[in-house]
Amino acid sequence: MTKEIDSTVTARRAPAPLGWLPLVGVGALAAATFLLLRTALVDDAYITLAYARNVAFHGTWGLLSDITSNTATSPLWVIVLSVVTFVVRRPVLALGILHVAIAVGLAASLRSSALRTGLPGWVGPLAAVAVGVNPLLLSSVGLESAFVLLLLSLLLRAGIAGRAVPYGLLAGAVVLARMDAAVAVVVVTLLLPAVLRRLHVAVGASLVVAVPWLAFSWVFLGSALPDTLVLKVQQSSWGPWDVRNGALLYVQVFAENGALAFLPVLLGALGWLVLAGFALHARSRAVDAVDVTATGAHPAGAALRPVPWLALGLGGAAHYAALSVLGVPPYHWYYSILVGTTTIVAAAAVGACWGRAASSPLRPVGWGALVAAAAIAVVSGVADVRHGTPWPIAPVQTNFATPAQYDEIAEDVEARLAAEGGPRYVTSPGEIGHLAYACDCVVDQFADPGRIQPQIDAALESSSGVVRELLELNYRFRDDPEPVPVAYDLFRYDRGTEPPGSTWWPITTTWAMPLSSIVMLPAGQQ
């Protein structure tokens, strides 16, 4: 039945002249935004870049080139980035290429889904542009955020078409790209009848993708799930702030950029209600459509099918709800699925209000919504440019220092270690990504399995019953490594409290924290 509907829609769809032009525009916008942000990647983005570089150049799955670790939260994103890095030999260039490709892919997949569900094709490029200028999502470039959104958009397209095998393969890919996004996949699946009818096929296909990596990681990396799972479970909120209310914190700290980052969530919620209204209206018209068909008449164009877009919106909300239940800290990229899916839902609602016929009674509403969406995109774009060309630091971030300052510190530390000829590592001051990428000499629990082992042991000791059995199974093949020796420890001190005679570097940030310094002390001195 699904194939018949799809073929009918395809037959009625007039070819779009120069339909590739919007995709070119989206790609050009993505290239321009990457030129802005390439010098302002957040610290955690450099964890991914370091992993990809070490896989591509050294064959090491780890944050450092000579230490294997299992703290990459997005194995599939690391693999994709490492493949492109191997070809172009420059990790940041590889990231830029993928940034543009993901933006174009998102626009194309959403355009296809829009046309298949009775929406104007420009919904896809509109959503991709709105996603592409959002300050929070741009501040997450380098992490897996945009890649997961692309996979979810492809998942939506496969679900709309009722293709169980591609749907399952993409579901497995989403899990390997961000394992907690499985919540969104489950919700979307439950609301797509065409997938549910062949759920066993979709599940089997997803296992084909996910199980090989999980088995490899279990045996060769010491755990099926990344070691960061233990860190996330043990992390606490930032005082009164966790992922439930963290959006308010970002609005307080970053004002305009914070508001623009989360505005799509409110608009997406409104858009979801609009699409829900269309869905209820479509149900009431179903009987009339049967009567029209019986008389031999044919409605013009494809019928509006808003349910898949509603499912995507609920999937994003479910992911946010799951993180809220866990009470994890409000890292800004934890909101990327919620912000991205609500942005897409808002664009779909604009297309639905526009209507397929010029005489649609909602055409004036569609015009207003389209103008509002364009205005928000323009304001976001202007804010992006006002932040600097290129950016000195991401507009939404929680890092201790600017990327340029971390580069300076890494260069000095690397020179000191080389001159002394002792242990080639120092401990991190609480952030490791940029320093490890720049000097390949900084360790903490993300880079050294021996330094996360105490937390794994604590998790095993504090658990019981089924949870303990699952943890023991997960770590069955794990060794009990010793921490690597270090020459120095790095710390963050409030400015003016640095120990006398110590080596230190002043650091600045736009995040809500006091003026600080990174201090280097001989290992074990503090």
Side-chain angles (χ1 to χ4, degrees):
M1 183 66 179
T2 302
K3 292 182 178 179
E4 293 176 2
I5 292 175
D6 290 341
S7 63
T8 303
V9 172
T10 302
R12 292 173 183 166
R13 189 184 305 144
L18 300 180
W20 50 269
L21 279 179
L23 302 183
V24 172
V26 169
L29 176 65
T33 57
F34 191 78
L35 291 176
L36 282 178
L37 63 83
R38 71 189 190 282
T39 57
L41 301 175
V42 297
D43 193 75
D44 280 70
Y46 280 100
I47 294 178
T48 306
L49 285 171
Y51 260 89
R53 180 186 62 189
N54 293 331
V55 172
F57 298 162
H58 307 288
T60 300
W61 188 268
L63 184 53
L64 299 178
S65 62
D66 56 352
I67 300 178
T68 299
S69 55
N70 190 20
T71 52
T73 56
S74 180
L76 184 58
W77 177 231
V78 169
I79 292 170
V80 171
L81 186 55
S82 66
V83 169
V84 182
T85 298
F86 180 81
V87 174
V88 302
R89 314 307 292 175
R90 293 168 59 190
V92 175
L93 176 59
L95 177 60
I97 292 170
L98 287 171
H99 178 67
V100 174
I102 287 170
V104 174
L106 181 67
S109 61
L110 292 176
R111 179 181 184 274
S112 177
S113 294
L115 292 173
R116 287 174 175 269
T117 54
L119 296 175
W122 48 256
V123 164
L126 174 64
V129 168
V131 165
V133 296
N134 184 283
L136 183 142
L137 296 176
L138 286 178
S139 298
S140 304
V141 170
L143 295 159
E144 69 280 356
S145 304
F147 184 52
V148 172
L149 281 180
L150 172 62
L151 292 176
L152 287 174
S153 74
L154 293 170
L155 184 83
L156 181 71
R157 185 185 184 282
I160 291 169
R163 302 176 63 190
V165 172
Y167 187 93
L169 295 175
L170 287 163
V174 171
V175 171
L176 291 185
R178 185 165 186 87
M179 292 188 179
D180 53 33
V183 175
V185 173
V186 170
V187 171
V188 171
T189 302
L190 292 176
L191 294 174
L192 294 178
V195 176
L196 286 177
R197 284 193 291 268
R198 302 187 66 202
L199 184 60
H200 62 291
V201 177
V203 171
S206 68
L207 294 177
V208 168
V209 173
V211 168
W213 171 261
L214 295 177
F216 172 84
S217 179
W218 185 41
V219 175
F220 295 101
L221 300 180
S223 61
L225 304 178
D227 291 341
T228 45
L229 174 66
V230 172
L231 299 178
K232 288 183 179 180
V233 171
Q234 295 177 348
Q235 282 180 327
S236 59
S237 61
W238 300 342
W241 306 103
D242 60 25
V243 78
R244 290 171 297 178
N245 59 1
L248 298 176
L249 174 62
Y250 286 109
V251 172
Q252 287 182 19
V253 174
F254 297 113
E256 178 187 40
N257 282 318
L260 290 171
F262 289 99
L263 180 60
V265 177
L266 300 178
L267 297 179
L270 178 61
W272 194 93
L273 294 175
V274 170
L275 291 174
F278 276 110
L280 293 174
H281 182 63
R283 287 177 63 89
S284 69
R285 293 185 60 190
V287 174
D288 295 337
V290 172
D291 293 339
V292 168
T293 302
T295 62
H298 297 281
L304 180 63
R305 298 163 57 195
V307 171
W309 305 95
L310 293 172
L312 182 66
L314 286 178
H319 178 260
Y320 165 73
L323 294 180
S324 298
V325 170
L326 293 174
V328 296
Y331 294 110
H332 71 270
W333 56 90
Y334 284 1
Y335 297 99
S336 60
I337 292 179
L338 176 67
V339 172
T341 54
T342 51
T343 299
I344 292 169
V345 169
V350 171
C353 288
W354 178 269
R356 295 183 59 81
S359 59
S360 170
L362 288 178
R363 177 57 67 89
V365 178
W367 268 112
L370 185 60
V371 170
I376 293 170
V378 169
V379 171
S380 297
V382 170
D384 293 339
V385 173
R386 284 172 52 194
H387 191 66
T389 51
W391 291 349
I393 193 170
V396 179
Q397 50 78 41
T398 55
N399 295 152
F400 296 166
T402 68
Q405 289 166 345
Y406 273 141
D407 279 333
E408 177 186 355
I409 295 170
E411 182 179 355
D412 291 347
V413 169
E414 189 173 25
R416 172 77 70 87
L417 294 176
E420 294 180 353
R424 61 171 297 263
Y425 301 112
V426 300
T427 60
S428 82
E431 289 185 334
I432 189 174
H434 199 136
L435 291 172
Y437 179 82
C439 77
D440 197 38
C441 64
V442 182
V443 297
D444 65 3
Q445 66 268 37
F446 284 93
D448 181 5
R451 295 179 186 275
I452 197 175
Q453 190 62 43
Q455 291 162 290
I456 293 174
D457 293 338
L460 287 167
E461 291 175 6
S462 63
S463 61
S464 60
V466 175
V467 174
R468 183 180 180 89
E469 291 178 2
L470 290 174
L471 285 173
E472 289 177 344
L473 178 63
N474 183 56
Y475 294 115
R476 174 168 295 177
F477 296 102
R478 185 181 181 87
D479 298 326
D480 191 7
E482 292 293 326
V484 299
V486 297
Y488 293 95
D489 295 320
L490 298 180
F491 301 94
R492 185 190 68 82
Y493 277 73
D494 288 348
R495 189 76 57 81
T497 65
E498 302 86 358
S502 62
T503 300
W504 58 276
W505 300 264
I507 54 175
T508 55
T509 179
T510 56
W511 178 237
M513 59 183 291
L515 282 175
S516 305
S517 303
I518 297 298
V519 175
M520 185 166 70
L521 299 174
Q525 181 171 310
Q526 177 175 319

